[in-house]
Coordinates of all heavy atoms in Angstrom, one line a residue:
M1 N -2.0 9.1 -1.2 CA -2.0 7.7 -1.2 C -0.8 7.1 -0.5 O -0.9 6.1 0.1 CB -2.1 7.2 -2.7 CG -2.2 5.7 -2.8 SD -3.7 5.1 -2.0 CE -4.2 3.8 -3.1
S2 N 0.3 7.7 -0.6 CA 1.6 7.2 0.0 C 1.4 7.1 1.5 O 2.0 6.2 2.1 CB 2.8 8.0 -0.4 OG 2.7 9.3 0.1
D3 N 0.7 8.1 2.1 CA 0.5 8.0 3.6 C -0.3 6.7 4.0 O 0.0 6.1 4.9 CB -0.3 9.2 4.1 CG 0.5 10.5 4.1 OD1 1.7 10.4 4.0 OD2 -0.1 11.6 4.2
K4 N -1.3 6.3 3.2 CA -2.0 5.1 3.4 C -1.1 3.8 3.3 O -1.2 2.9 4.0 CB -3.2 4.9 2.4 CG -4.3 5.9 2.7 CD -5.5 5.7 1.8 CE -6.6 6.6 2.1 NZ -7.8 6.4 1.2
I5 N -0.2 3.9 2.3 CA 0.7 2.7 2.1 C 1.6 2.6 3.3 O 1.8 1.6 3.8 CB 1.4 2.9 0.7 CG1 0.5 2.7 -0.4 CG2 2.5 1.9 0.7 CD1 1.0 3.1 -1.8
F6 N 2.2 3.8 3.7 CA 3.1 3.7 4.8 C 2.4 3.3 6.1 O 3.0 2.5 6.9 CB 3.9 5.0 5.0 CG 4.9 5.3 4.0 CD1 4.8 6.3 3.0 CD2 6.0 4.4 3.9 CE1 5.8 6.5 2.1 CE2 7.0 4.6 3.0 CZ 6.9 5.7 2.1
E7 N 1.2 3.8 6.3 CA 0.4 3.4 7.4 C 0.2 1.8 7.4 O 0.3 1.2 8.4 CB -0.9 4.1 7.5 CG -1.8 3.7 8.6 CD -3.2 4.2 8.5 OE1 -3.4 5.2 7.8 OE2 -4.1 3.7 9.2
A8 N -0.2 1.3 6.2 CA -0.4 -0.1 6.1 C 0.8 -0.9 6.4 O 0.8 -1.9 7.0 CB -1.0 -0.4 4.7
L9 N 2.0 -0.4 5.9 CA 3.2 -1.2 6.1 C 3.8 -1.1 7.5 O 4.7 -1.8 7.8 CB 4.2 -0.8 5.0 CG 3.8 -1.2 3.6 CD1 4.9 -0.6 2.6 CD2 3.6 -2.6 3.4
A10 N 3.3 -0.1 8.3 CA 3.9 0.1 9.6 C 3.5 -1.0 10.6 O 4.1 -1.0 11.6 CB 3.4 1.5 10.1
S11 N 2.6 -1.8 10.3 CA 2.1 -2.8 11.2 C 2.6 -4.2 10.8 O 2.5 -4.7 9.7 CB 0.6 -2.9 11.1 OG 0.1 -4.1 11.6
S12 N 3.2 -4.8 11.8 CA 3.8 -6.2 11.7 C 2.7 -7.2 11.2 O 3.0 -7.9 10.2 CB 4.4 -6.7 12.9 OG 4.9 -7.9 12.8
P13 N 1.5 -7.2 11.8 CA 0.5 -8.2 11.3 C 0.1 -7.9 9.8 O -0.1 -8.9 9.1 CB -0.7 -7.9 12.2 CG -0.2 -7.4 13.5 CD 1.0 -6.6 13.0
R14 N 0.1 -6.7 9.4 CA -0.2 -6.4 8.0 C 0.9 -6.8 7.1 O 0.6 -7.3 6.0 CB -0.6 -4.9 7.8 CG -1.9 -4.5 8.4 CD -2.4 -3.2 8.0 NE -1.7 -2.1 8.7 CZ -2.1 -1.5 9.8 NH1 -3.2 -1.9 10.4 NH2 -1.5 -0.5 10.3
R15 N 2.1 -6.7 7.5 CA 3.2 -7.2 6.7 C 3.2 -8.7 6.6 O 3.5 -9.3 5.6 CB 4.6 -6.6 7.2 CG 4.8 -5.2 7.0 CD 6.2 -4.8 7.3 NE 6.7 -5.1 8.7 CZ 6.5 -4.4 9.8 NH1 5.9 -3.2 9.8 NH2 7.0 -4.8 11.0
Q16 N 2.8 -9.3 7.7 CA 2.7 -10.8 7.7 C 1.5 -11.2 6.8 O 1.7 -12.2 6.0 CB 2.4 -11.3 9.1 CG 3.6 -11.2 10.0 CD 3.3 -11.6 11.5 OE1 2.2 -11.9 11.8 NE2 4.3 -11.5 12.3
I17 N 0.4 -10.5 6.8 CA -0.6 -10.8 5.8 C -0.2 -10.7 4.4 O -0.4 -11.6 3.6 CB -1.9 -9.8 6.1 CG1 -2.5 -10.2 7.4 CG2 -2.9 -10.0 4.9 CD1 -3.6 -9.2 7.9
L18 N 0.6 -9.7 4.1 CA 1.2 -9.5 2.7 C 2.1 -10.7 2.4 O 2.1 -11.2 1.3 CB 1.9 -8.2 2.6 CG 1.1 -6.9 2.6 CD1 2.0 -5.7 2.6 CD2 0.1 -6.9 1.5
A19 N 2.8 -11.2 3.3 CA 3.7 -12.4 3.1 C 2.9 -13.6 2.9 O 3.1 -14.4 2.0 CB 4.6 -12.6 4.4
Y20 N 1.8 -13.8 3.6 CA 0.9 -14.9 3.4 C 0.2 -14.9 2.0 O 0.1 -15.9 1.4 CB -0.2 -15.0 4.4 CG 0.2 -15.5 5.8 CD1 -0.2 -14.8 7.0 CD2 1.0 -16.7 5.9 CE1 0.3 -15.2 8.2 CE2 1.4 -17.1 7.2 CZ 1.0 -16.4 8.3 OH 1.5 -16.8 9.6
L21 N -0.1 -13.7 1.6 CA -0.7 -13.5 0.3 C 0.3 -13.5 -0.9 O -0.1 -13.4 -2.0 CB -1.6 -12.2 0.3 CG -2.8 -12.2 1.2 CD1 -3.5 -10.9 1.2 CD2 -3.8 -13.4 0.9
S22 N 1.5 -13.6 -0.6 CA 2.5 -13.4 -1.6 C 2.5 -14.6 -2.7 O 2.9 -14.4 -3.8 CB 3.9 -13.4 -1.0 OG 4.3 -14.5 -0.4
E23 N 2.0 -15.7 -2.3 CA 2.1 -16.9 -3.2 C 0.7 -17.4 -3.6 O 0.6 -18.2 -4.5 CB 2.8 -18.0 -2.5 CG 4.3 -17.8 -2.3 CD 5.0 -17.6 -3.6 OE1 4.7 -18.3 -4.6 OE2 5.9 -16.8 -3.7
Q24 N -0.4 -16.9 -2.8 CA -1.7 -17.4 -3.1 C -2.7 -16.5 -2.6 O -2.4 -15.7 -1.7 CB -1.9 -18.8 -2.5 CG -1.8 -18.8 -1.0 CD -2.1 -20.2 -0.4 OE1 -2.8 -21.0 -1.1 NE2 -1.6 -20.5 0.7
E25 N -3.9 -16.6 -3.1 CA -5.1 -15.9 -2.6 C -5.6 -16.7 -1.4 O -5.5 -17.9 -1.4 CB -6.1 -15.6 -3.6 CG -6.6 -16.8 -4.3 CD -7.6 -16.4 -5.4 OE1 -7.4 -15.4 -6.1 OE2 -8.5 -17.2 -5.7
L26 N -6.2 -16.0 -0.4 CA -6.7 -16.7 0.8 C -8.0 -16.1 1.2 O -8.1 -14.8 1.2 CB -5.7 -16.6 1.9 CG -4.4 -17.4 1.8 CD1 -3.5 -17.0 2.9 CD2 -4.7 -18.9 1.9
P27 N -8.9 -16.9 1.7 CA -10.1 -16.3 2.3 C -9.8 -15.7 3.6 O -8.8 -16.0 4.3 CB -11.0 -17.5 2.5 CG -10.4 -18.7 1.9 CD -9.0 -18.3 1.6
A28 N -10.6 -14.7 4.1 CA -10.3 -14.0 5.3 C -10.2 -15.0 6.5 O -9.4 -14.7 7.3 CB -11.4 -13.0 5.5
G29 N -11.0 -16.0 6.5 CA -11.0 -16.9 7.6 C -9.6 -17.7 7.7 O -9.1 -17.9 8.8
D30 N -9.1 -18.0 6.5 CA -7.7 -18.7 6.6 C -6.6 -17.7 7.0 O -5.7 -18.1 7.7 CB -7.4 -19.2 5.2 CG -8.2 -20.4 4.7 OD1 -9.1 -20.8 5.5 OD2 -8.0 -20.9 3.6
I31 N -6.8 -16.4 6.7 CA -5.8 -15.4 7.1 C -6.0 -15.3 8.7 O -5.0 -15.3 9.4 CB -6.1 -14.1 6.5 CG1 -5.7 -14.2 4.9 CG2 -5.2 -13.0 7.1 CD1 -6.2 -13.0 4.1
A32 N -7.2 -15.2 9.1 CA -7.4 -15.0 10.6 C -6.9 -16.1 11.4 O -6.5 -16.0 12.5 CB -8.9 -14.8 10.8
A33 N -7.0 -17.4 10.9 CA -6.6 -18.6 11.6 C -5.1 -18.5 11.9 O -4.6 -19.2 12.8 CB -6.9 -19.8 10.8
R34 N -4.3 -17.7 11.2 CA -2.9 -17.6 11.5 C -2.5 -16.7 12.6 O -1.3 -16.5 12.9 CB -2.2 -17.2 10.1 CG -2.3 -18.3 9.1 CD -1.7 -17.8 7.8 NE -1.3 -18.8 6.9 CZ -2.2 -19.5 6.1 NH1 -3.5 -19.3 6.1 NH2 -1.7 -20.5 5.3
F35 N -3.5 -15.9 13.1 CA -3.2 -14.9 14.1 C -3.9 -15.1 15.4 O -5.1 -15.7 15.3 CB -3.6 -13.5 13.5 CG -2.8 -13.1 12.4 CD1 -3.1 -13.4 11.1 CD2 -1.5 -12.4 12.6 CE1 -2.4 -13.0 10.0 CE2 -0.8 -12.0 11.5 CZ -1.1 -12.3 10.2
A36 N -3.4 -14.7 16.5 CA -4.0 -14.8 17.8 C -4.7 -13.5 18.1 O -4.3 -12.8 19.0 CB -3.0 -15.2 18.9
M37 N -5.6 -13.1 17.2 CA -6.4 -11.9 17.5 C -7.8 -12.1 17.0 O -8.1 -13.0 16.2 CB -5.7 -10.7 16.8 CG -5.6 -10.7 15.3 SD -4.9 -9.2 14.6 CE -3.2 -9.4 14.9
S38 N -8.7 -11.2 17.3 CA -10.1 -11.3 17.0 C -10.4 -11.2 15.5 O -9.6 -10.5 14.8 CB -10.9 -10.4 17.8 OG -10.7 -9.0 17.3
A39 N -11.5 -11.7 15.1 CA -11.9 -11.5 13.6 C -12.0 -10.1 13.3 O -11.6 -9.7 12.2 CB -13.1 -12.3 13.3
P40 N -12.7 -9.2 14.1 CA -12.8 -7.8 13.8 C -11.4 -7.1 13.6 O -11.2 -6.3 12.8 CB -13.6 -7.2 15.0 CG -14.3 -8.3 15.5 CD -13.5 -9.6 15.3
S41 N -10.4 -7.5 14.4 CA -9.1 -7.0 14.3 C -8.5 -7.3 13.0 O -7.9 -6.5 12.3 CB -8.2 -7.4 15.4 OG -8.6 -6.9 16.7
I42 N -8.6 -8.6 12.6 CA -8.1 -9.0 11.2 C -8.8 -8.3 10.2 O -8.2 -7.8 9.2 CB -8.3 -10.5 11.1 CG1 -7.3 -11.3 12.0 CG2 -8.0 -10.9 9.7 CD1 -5.9 -11.1 11.7
S43 N -10.1 -8.1 10.3 CA -10.9 -7.4 9.3 C -10.4 -5.9 9.2 O -10.3 -5.4 8.0 CB -12.4 -7.4 9.7 OG -13.1 -6.7 8.8
R44 N -10.1 -5.3 10.3 CA -9.5 -3.9 10.2 C -8.2 -3.9 9.5 O -7.9 -3.0 8.7 CB -9.4 -3.3 11.6 CG -10.7 -2.8 12.2 CD -10.5 -2.0 13.4 NE -10.0 -2.7 14.5 CZ -10.7 -3.4 15.4 NH1 -12.0 -3.5 15.2 NH2 -10.1 -4.1 16.4
H45 N -7.3 -4.9 9.8 CA -6.0 -5.0 9.1 C -6.2 -5.1 7.6 O -5.6 -4.5 6.7 CB -5.2 -6.1 9.6 CG -4.6 -5.8 11.0 ND1 -3.7 -4.7 11.2 CD2 -4.7 -6.5 12.2 CE1 -3.4 -4.7 12.5 NE2 -3.9 -5.8 13.1
L46 N -7.2 -6.0 7.2 CA -7.4 -6.3 5.8 C -8.0 -5.0 5.1 O -7.6 -4.7 4.0 CB -8.4 -7.4 5.6 CG -7.8 -8.8 6.0 CD1 -8.9 -9.9 6.0 CD2 -6.7 -9.2 5.0
S47 N -8.8 -4.3 5.9 CA -9.4 -3.1 5.3 C -8.3 -2.0 5.1 O -8.4 -1.4 4.0 CB -10.5 -2.5 6.3 OG -11.0 -1.3 5.9
V48 N -7.4 -1.9 6.0 CA -6.3 -0.9 5.8 C -5.5 -1.3 4.6 O -5.1 -0.4 3.8 CB -5.4 -0.8 7.1 CG1 -4.1 -0.1 6.9 CG2 -6.2 -0.2 8.3
L49 N -5.1 -2.5 4.5 CA -4.4 -3.0 3.3 C -5.1 -2.8 2.0 O -4.5 -2.3 1.0 CB -4.0 -4.5 3.5 CG -3.0 -4.8 4.5 CD1 -2.9 -6.3 4.8 CD2 -1.6 -4.3 4.1
E50 N -6.4 -3.0 2.0 CA -7.3 -2.8 0.8 C -7.4 -1.3 0.5 O -7.2 -1.0 -0.7 CB -8.6 -3.4 1.0 CG -9.4 -3.7 -0.3 CD -10.6 -4.6 -0.1 OE1 -11.1 -4.7 1.1 OE2 -11.1 -5.1 -1.1
N51 N -7.6 -0.5 1.5 CA -7.7 1.0 1.3 C -6.4 1.6 0.7 O -6.4 2.6 0.1 CB -8.2 1.7 2.5 CG -9.6 1.4 2.8 OD1 -10.4 1.2 1.9 ND2 -9.9 1.5 4.1
A52 N -5.3 0.9 1.1 CA -4.0 1.4 0.6 C -3.7 0.9 -0.8 O -2.7 1.3 -1.4 CB -2.9 0.9 1.6
G53 N -4.5 0.0 -1.3 CA -4.4 -0.5 -2.7 C -3.4 -1.7 -2.7 O -2.9 -2.0 -3.8
L54 N -3.0 -2.2 -1.6 CA -2.0 -3.4 -1.6 C -2.7 -4.7 -1.8 O -2.0 -5.6 -2.3 CB -1.3 -3.3 -0.2 CG -0.4 -2.0 0.0 CD1 0.1 -2.1 1.4 CD2 0.7 -1.9 -1.0
I55 N -3.9 -4.8 -1.5 CA -4.6 -6.1 -1.7 C -6.0 -5.8 -2.3 O -6.5 -4.6 -2.2 CB -4.7 -7.0 -0.4 CG1 -5.6 -6.2 0.6 CG2 -3.4 -7.4 0.1 CD1 -6.0 -7.1 1.8
T56 N -6.6 -6.8 -2.8 CA -8.0 -6.7 -3.3 C -8.8 -7.8 -2.7 O -8.2 -9.0 -2.5 CB -8.1 -6.7 -4.8 OG1 -7.5 -7.9 -5.3 CG2 -7.4 -5.5 -5.5
G57 N -10.0 -7.6 -2.4 CA -10.9 -8.6 -1.9 C -12.0 -8.9 -2.9 O -12.5 -7.9 -3.5
E58 N -12.4 -10.2 -3.0 CA -13.5 -10.6 -3.9 C -14.4 -11.4 -3.2 O -14.0 -12.5 -2.6 CB -12.9 -11.3 -5.2 CG -13.9 -11.8 -6.1 CD -13.3 -12.6 -7.2 OE1 -12.1 -12.4 -7.5 OE2 -14.0 -13.5 -7.8
R59 N -15.7 -11.1 -3.2 CA -16.7 -12.0 -2.6 C -17.0 -13.2 -3.4 O -17.2 -13.0 -4.6 CB -18.0 -11.2 -2.3 CG -19.0 -12.0 -1.6 CD -20.1 -11.3 -0.9 NE -19.7 -10.5 0.2 CZ -19.5 -11.0 1.5 NH1 -19.5 -12.3 1.6 NH2 -19.1 -10.2 2.4
R60 N -16.9 -14.3 -2.8 CA -17.2 -15.6 -3.5 C -18.2 -16.3 -2.6 O -17.7 -17.0 -1.6 CB -16.0 -16.4 -3.7 CG -15.0 -15.8 -4.7 CD -13.8 -16.7 -5.1 NE -12.8 -15.9 -5.8 CZ -11.6 -16.3 -5.9 NH1 -11.2 -17.4 -5.3 NH2 -10.7 -15.6 -6.6
G61 N -19.4 -16.2 -2.9 CA -20.4 -16.8 -2.0 C -20.4 -16.1 -0.6 O -20.5 -14.9 -0.6
Q62 N -20.2 -16.9 0.4 CA -20.2 -16.3 1.8 C -18.8 -15.9 2.2 O -18.6 -15.4 3.3 CB -20.8 -17.3 2.8 CG -20.0 -18.6 2.9 CD -20.7 -19.5 3.9 OE1 -21.8 -19.3 4.4 NE2 -20.0 -20.6 4.2
F63 N -17.8 -16.1 1.4 CA -16.4 -15.8 1.7 C -15.9 -14.6 1.0 O -16.3 -14.3 -0.2 CB -15.5 -17.0 1.4 CG -15.9 -18.2 2.1 CD1 -16.6 -19.2 1.4 CD2 -15.6 -18.4 3.4 CE1 -17.0 -20.4 2.1 CE2 -16.0 -19.6 4.1 CZ -16.7 -20.6 3.4
V64 N -14.9 -13.9 1.6 CA -14.2 -12.9 0.8 C -12.8 -13.4 0.7 O -12.1 -13.7 1.7 CB -14.2 -11.5 1.6 CG1 -13.4 -10.5 0.8 CG2 -15.6 -11.0 1.8
V65 N -12.3 -13.5 -0.5 CA -11.0 -14.0 -0.8 C -10.1 -12.8 -1.2 O -10.4 -12.0 -2.0 CB -11.0 -15.0 -2.0 CG1 -9.7 -15.5 -2.3 CG2 -12.0 -16.2 -1.7
Y66 N -8.9 -12.8 -0.5 CA -8.0 -11.6 -0.7 C -6.8 -12.1 -1.5 O -6.3 -13.2 -1.4 CB -7.5 -11.1 0.6 CG -8.6 -10.4 1.4 CD1 -9.5 -11.1 2.2 CD2 -8.9 -9.0 1.1 CE1 -10.5 -10.4 2.9 CE2 -9.9 -8.4 1.7 CZ -10.7 -9.1 2.6 OH -11.8 -8.4 3.2
R67 N -6.2 -11.2 -2.3 CA -4.9 -11.4 -3.0 C -4.2 -10.1 -3.1 O -4.8 -9.1 -3.0 CB -5.2 -12.1 -4.4 CG -5.9 -11.2 -5.4 CD -6.0 -11.9 -6.7 NE -7.2 -11.5 -7.5 CZ -8.4 -11.7 -7.2 NH1 -8.8 -12.2 -6.0 NH2 -9.4 -11.4 -8.0
L68 N -2.9 -10.2 -3.4 CA -2.1 -9.0 -3.6 C -2.5 -8.3 -4.8 O -3.0 -9.0 -5.8 CB -0.6 -9.4 -3.7 CG 0.2 -9.9 -2.5 CD1 1.6 -10.1 -2.9 CD2 0.1 -8.9 -1.4
N69 N -2.4 -7.0 -4.8 CA -2.6 -6.2 -6.0 C -1.4 -6.2 -6.8 O -0.4 -5.5 -6.4 CB -3.1 -4.8 -5.6 CG -3.4 -3.9 -6.8 OD1 -3.2 -4.3 -8.0 ND2 -3.9 -2.7 -6.6
P70 N -1.3 -7.0 -7.9 CA 0.0 -7.1 -8.6 C 0.4 -5.8 -9.3 O 1.6 -5.6 -9.7 CB -0.2 -8.2 -9.6 CG -1.7 -8.2 -9.8 CD -2.3 -7.8 -8.5
D71 N -0.5 -4.9 -9.5 CA -0.2 -3.6 -10.2 C 0.4 -2.6 -9.3 O 0.6 -1.4 -9.7 CB -1.4 -3.1 -10.9 CG -2.0 -4.1 -12.0 OD1 -1.1 -4.8 -12.5 OD2 -3.2 -4.1 -12.2
N72 N 0.6 -2.9 -8.1 CA 1.1 -1.9 -7.1 C 2.6 -2.0 -6.9 O 3.2 -3.1 -6.6 CB 0.4 -2.1 -5.7 CG 0.6 -1.0 -4.8 OD1 1.8 -0.6 -4.6 ND2 -0.4 -0.5 -4.3
L73 N 3.3 -0.9 -7.2 CA 4.8 -0.9 -7.1 C 5.3 -1.3 -5.7 O 6.3 -2.0 -5.5 CB 5.3 0.4 -7.5 CG 6.9 0.7 -7.3 CD1 7.6 -0.3 -8.2 CD2 7.2 2.1 -7.6
V74 N 4.5 -0.9 -4.7 CA 4.9 -1.3 -3.3 C 4.9 -2.8 -3.1 O 5.8 -3.3 -2.4 CB 3.9 -0.6 -2.3 CG1 4.2 -1.0 -0.9 CG2 4.0 1.0 -2.4
N75 N 4.0 -3.5 -3.7 CA 4.0 -4.9 -3.6 C 5.2 -5.5 -4.3 O 5.8 -6.5 -3.8 CB 2.8 -5.6 -4.2 CG 1.6 -5.5 -3.2 OD1 1.8 -5.4 -2.0 ND2 0.4 -5.3 -3.8
T76 N 5.7 -4.9 -5.4 CA 6.9 -5.4 -6.0 C 8.1 -5.2 -5.1 O 8.9 -6.0 -4.9 CB 7.2 -4.6 -7.3 OG1 6.0 -4.8 -8.2 CG2 8.4 -5.1 -8.0
L77 N 8.1 -4.0 -4.4 CA 9.2 -3.7 -3.4 C 9.1 -4.6 -2.2 O 10.1 -5.1 -1.7 CB 9.1 -2.3 -3.0 CG 9.5 -1.3 -4.1 CD1 9.3 0.2 -3.7 CD2 10.9 -1.4 -4.7
S78 N 7.8 -4.9 -1.8 CA 7.6 -5.8 -0.7 C 8.1 -7.2 -1.0 O 8.7 -7.9 -0.1 CB 6.1 -5.9 -0.3 OG 5.7 -4.6 0.2
Q79 N 7.9 -7.7 -2.2 CA 8.4 -9.0 -2.6 C 9.9 -9.0 -2.4 O 10.5 -10.0 -1.9 CB 8.0 -9.3 -4.0 CG 6.5 -9.5 -4.2 CD 6.1 -10.8 -3.6 OE1 6.8 -11.8 -3.4 NE2 4.8 -10.8 -3.1
F80 N 10.6 -8.0 -2.9 CA 12.0 -7.9 -2.7 C 12.4 -7.9 -1.3 O 13.3 -8.7 -0.8 CB 12.6 -6.6 -3.4 CG 14.0 -6.4 -3.1 CD1 15.0 -7.1 -3.7 CD2 14.4 -5.4 -2.1 CE1 16.3 -6.9 -3.4 CE2 15.8 -5.2 -1.8 CZ 16.7 -6.0 -2.5
A81 N 11.7 -7.1 -0.4 CA 12.0 -7.0 1.0 C 11.8 -8.4 1.7 O 12.6 -8.8 2.5 CB 11.2 -6.0 1.7
M82 N 10.7 -9.1 1.3 CA 10.4 -10.4 1.9 C 11.5 -11.4 1.6 O 11.8 -12.3 2.3 CB 9.1 -10.9 1.4 CG 7.9 -10.3 2.0 SD 6.4 -11.1 1.5 CE 5.5 -9.7 1.0
A83 N 12.2 -11.3 0.4 CA 13.3 -12.2 0.0 C 14.4 -12.0 1.0 O 15.2 -13.1 1.2 CB 13.7 -11.9 -1.4
V84 N 14.6 -10.9 1.6 CA 15.8 -10.7 2.5 C 15.4 -10.6 3.9 O 16.3 -10.6 4.8 CB 16.6 -9.5 2.1 CG1 17.2 -9.7 0.7 CG2 15.8 -8.2 2.1
C85 N 14.1 -10.5 4.2 CA 13.7 -10.4 5.6 C 13.6 -11.7 6.3 O 13.0 -12.7 5.8 CB 12.3 -9.8 5.6 SG 11.6 -9.6 7.3
P86 N 14.3 -11.8 7.5 CA 14.3 -13.1 8.2 C 12.9 -13.6 8.7 O 12.7 -14.8 8.8 CB 15.3 -12.9 9.3 CG 15.4 -11.4 9.5 CD 15.0 -10.8 8.2
V87 N 12.1 -12.7 9.0 CA 10.7 -13.0 9.4 C 9.8 -13.4 8.3 O 9.0 -14.4 8.4 CB 10.1 -11.9 10.3 CG1 8.7 -12.2 10.7 CG2 11.0 -11.6 11.5
A88 N 9.8 -12.7 7.2 CA 8.9 -12.9 6.1 C 9.2 -14.2 5.3 O 8.4 -14.8 4.8 CB 8.9 -11.7 5.2
G89 N 10.5 -14.5 5.3 CA 10.9 -15.7 4.5 C 10.1 -16.9 4.9 O 9.5 -17.6 4.0
P90 N 10.1 -17.3 6.2 CA 9.4 -18.5 6.5 C 7.8 -18.4 6.2 O 7.2 -19.4 5.9 CB 9.6 -18.6 8.0 CG 10.8 -17.9 8.3 CD 10.9 -16.8 7.3
L91 N 7.3 -17.2 6.4 CA 5.9 -17.0 6.0 C 5.6 -17.2 4.6 O 4.6 -17.9 4.2 CB 5.4 -15.6 6.5 CG 5.5 -15.3 8.0 CD1 5.1 -13.9 8.2 CD2 4.8 -16.3 8.8
K92 N 6.5 -16.7 3.7 CA 6.3 -16.9 2.3 C 6.5 -18.4 1.9 O 5.7 -18.9 1.1 CB 7.4 -16.0 1.6 CG 7.2 -16.1 0.1 CD 8.1 -15.1 -0.6 CE 7.9 -15.1 -2.1 NZ 8.5 -14.0 -2.8
K93 N 7.4 -19.1 2.6 CA 7.6 -20.5 2.3 C 6.3 -21.3 2.7 O 5.9 -22.2 2.0 CB 8.8 -21.0 3.0 CG 10.1 -20.6 2.4 CD 11.3 -21.1 3.2 CE 12.6 -20.6 2.6 NZ 13.7 -20.9 3.4
E94 N 5.8 -20.9 3.8 CA 4.5 -21.6 4.3 C 3.4 -21.4 3.3 O 2.7 -22.3 3.0 CB 4.1 -21.0 5.7 CG 2.8 -21.6 6.2 CD 2.3 -20.9 7.4 OE1 3.1 -20.4 8.2 OE2 1.1 -21.0 7.6
S95 N 3.3 -20.1 2.8 CA 2.3 -19.8 1.8 C 2.5 -20.6 0.5 O 1.5 -21.2 -0.1 CB 2.2 -18.3 1.5 OG 1.3 -18.0 0.5
K96 N 3.7 -20.7 0.1 CA 4.0 -21.5 -1.2 C 3.7 -23.0 -1.0 O 3.2 -23.6 -1.9 CB 5.5 -21.3 -1.5 CG 5.9 -21.9 -2.9 CD 7.4 -21.6 -3.2 CE 7.5 -20.2 -3.7 NZ 8.9 -19.9 -4.3
A97 N 4.1 -23.5 0.2 CA 3.8 -24.9 0.5 C 2.2 -25.2 0.5 O 1.8 -26.2 0.0 CB 4.4 -25.4 1.8
A98 N 1.5 -24.3 1.1 CA 0.0 -24.4 1.1 C -0.6 -24.3 -0.3 O -1.5 -25.1 -0.6 CB -0.6 -23.3 2.0
K99 N 0.0 -23.5 -1.1 CA -0.4 -23.4 -2.5 C -0.2 -24.7 -3.2 O -1.1 -25.2 -4.0 CB 0.3 -22.2 -3.2 CG -0.2 -22.1 -4.6 CD 0.6 -20.9 -5.3 CE 0.3 -20.7 -6.7 NZ 1.1 -19.6 -7.3
R100 N 1.0 -25.3 -3.0 CA 1.3 -26.6 -3.7 C 0.4 -27.7 -3.2 O -0.1 -28.6 -3.9 CB 2.7 -27.0 -3.4 CG 3.7 -26.4 -4.5 CD 5.1 -27.0 -4.3 NE 6.0 -25.9 -3.9 CZ 6.6 -25.9 -2.8 NH1 6.6 -26.8 -1.9 NH2 7.4 -24.8 -2.6
A101 N 0.1 -27.7 -1.9 CA -0.8 -28.7 -1.3 C -2.2 -28.6 -1.8 O -2.9 -29.7 -2.0 CB -0.8 -28.6 0.2
K102 N -2.7 -27.4 -2.2 CA -4.0 -27.3 -2.8 C -4.1 -27.9 -4.2 O -5.2 -28.4 -4.6 CB -4.4 -25.8 -2.9 CG -4.9 -25.2 -1.7 CD -5.3 -23.8 -1.9 CE -6.0 -23.1 -0.7 NZ -6.4 -21.8 -0.9
R103 N -3.0 -27.9 -4.9 CA -3.0 -28.4 -6.2 C -3.1 -29.9 -6.3 O -3.5 -30.5 -7.2 CB -1.8 -28.0 -7.0 CG -1.7 -26.5 -7.3 CD -0.6 -26.3 -8.2 NE -0.1 -24.9 -8.0 CZ 1.1 -24.5 -8.2 NH1 2.0 -25.3 -8.6 NH2 1.4 -23.2 -8.0
I104 N -2.7 -30.6 -5.2 CA -2.6 -32.0 -5.1 C -4.0 -32.6 -4.9 O -4.9 -32.2 -4.5 CB -1.6 -32.5 -4.1 CG1 -0.3 -32.0 -4.5 CG2 -1.7 -34.0 -3.9 CD1 0.8 -32.3 -3.4

């Protein structure tokens, strides 16, 4: 399992997806909208993260909504890394702001 986790974390887009999911769950389409890559590419990244146990996806009607797997120690460590990472910080703030905007 650790090989899958390291493979998942080796990709910058996958680390960015984890940062986006750090504060809220998001449908696959909302995640894809943040990247300049094809939907199949995003789907592969989400699949790698899900197979590594870092995220879970839940079908809601025609959408699949993804969220971090809170029971995974790696996500706990990722949260720590995001707090000090200069790239992940702004992504996490964006996710937190979007979560607040949904409540309004």
Side-chain angles (χ1 to χ4, degrees):
M1 184 61 144
S2 64
D3 287 343
K4 287 183 178 183
I5 291 170
F6 285 115
E7 177 188 342
L9 295 175
S11 164
S12 179
R14 289 193 284 268
R15 290 190 306 272
Q16 290 174 359
I17 290 169
L18 291 174
Y20 285 131
L21 294 174
S22 68
E23 294 295 326
Q24 64 177 333
E25 57 186 30
L26 290 170
D30 288 2
I31 296 169
R34 292 173 160 82
F35 294 91
M37 63 178 75
S38 68
S41 293
I42 291 294
S43 181
R44 280 191 296 275
H45 285 301
L46 291 169
S47 179
V48 169
L49 290 167
E50 197 167 20
N51 288 332
L54 297 173
I55 64 172
T56 57
E58 176 186 335
R59 181 161 291 284
R60 295 185 191 162
Q62 63 183 7
F63 302 103
V64 178
V65 178
Y66 290 92
R67 69 178 147 296
L68 288 181
N69 180 355
D71 297 330
N72 191 308
L73 176 62
V74 172
N75 280 331
T76 303
L77 295 173
S78 294
Q79 291 293 330
F80 172 76
M82 281 185 235
V84 297
C85 175
V87 175
L91 300 178
K92 186 171 179 169
K93 286 178 185 173
E94 177 187 335
S95 180
K96 189 179 277 191
K99 180 180 178 182
R100 271 190 247 120
K102 278 186 177 181
R103 289 188 211 154
I104 297 174

